[in-house]
Amino acid sequence: MEKSKWMNTERIIWKNNEIERPCHKCGFCPYGQLVEEYPLHEEATKYAIKHDMWVKWSNTKGWPNDGTWIKCKKDDNGAEPDINSAVSKVKEKFSCDVFGHNCPAYYLSENVKE
């Protein structure tokens, strides 16, 4: 993921218990597509890398959507951390339960309430 030039997407400024996520109050995510700028399942990715869990896309039929993820070695061409297997093994503190990206509130939010 490339570094954003116009907003903080790298340094978490609020701890997990210091703020209330806005979606819990609103019932929806007020950040919309902005969440895609933030890390996806960061804790699960770190867990998968640490425990050597890798997968790659295998497209046996030749069609773009006809394929499956298969286990592989880290050095294989196209290898990526196996986030799907790791996500059930870690408790993600900052990730959104719906989208999976880290919640922007931990990076941007002002700690005020009405």
Side-chain angles (χ1 to χ4, degrees), residues 10-30:
E10 295 179 345
R11 190 173 69 86
I12 293 174
I13 57 176
W14 298 106
K15 292 181 183 167
N16 196 23
N17 60 353
E18 289 182 328
I19 64 167
E20 184 176 357
R21 292 185 191 184
C23 61
H24 294 175
K25 281 272 198 209
C26 303
F28 65 93
C29 179

Side-chain angles (χ1 to χ4, degrees), residues 49-87:
I49 291 169
K50 179 180 178 183
H51 291 88
D52 204 26
M53 302 164 70
W54 299 90
V55 291
K56 67 178 179 181
W57 185 251
S58 173
N59 190 347
T60 56
K61 297 180 182 177
W63 295 93
N65 295 330
D66 290 339
T68 185
W69 290 101
I70 59 171
K71 294 191 181 299
C72 68
K73 295 181 180 171
K74 179 181 181 179
D75 300 330
D76 287 357
N77 190 22
E80 296 182 25
D82 188 1
I83 296 171
N84 288 339
S85 296
V87 103

Side-chain angles (χ1 to χ4, degrees), residues 65-113:
N65 295 330
D66 290 339
T68 185
W69 290 101
I70 59 171
K71 294 191 181 299
C72 68
K73 295 181 180 171
K74 179 181 181 179
D75 300 330
D76 287 357
N77 190 22
E80 296 182 25
D82 188 1
I83 296 171
N84 288 339
S85 296
V87 103
S88 63
K89 295 174 175 37
V90 296
K91 174 145 177 43
E92 304 227 37
K93 296 180 272 189
F94 304 108
S95 292
C96 172
D97 296 334
V98 177
F99 297 107
H101 292 270
N102 281 3
C103 179
Y106 294 108
Y107 299 81
L108 307 170
S109 181
E110 295 179 10
N111 200 9
V112 295
K113 295 181 182 175

Side-chain angles (χ1 to χ4, degrees), residues 25-36:
K25 281 272 198 209
C26 303
F28 65 93
C29 179
Y31 295 108
Q33 291 180 332
L34 179 68
V35 297
E36 294 178 10

Side-chain angles (χ1 to χ4, degrees), residues 1-10 34 37-38:
M1 178 176 253
E2 66 183 70
K3 184 177 178 178
S4 177
K5 296 178 183 172
W6 57 278
M7 66 183 174
N8 172 26
T9 59
E10 295 179 345
L34 179 68
E37 294 289 324
Y38 290 85

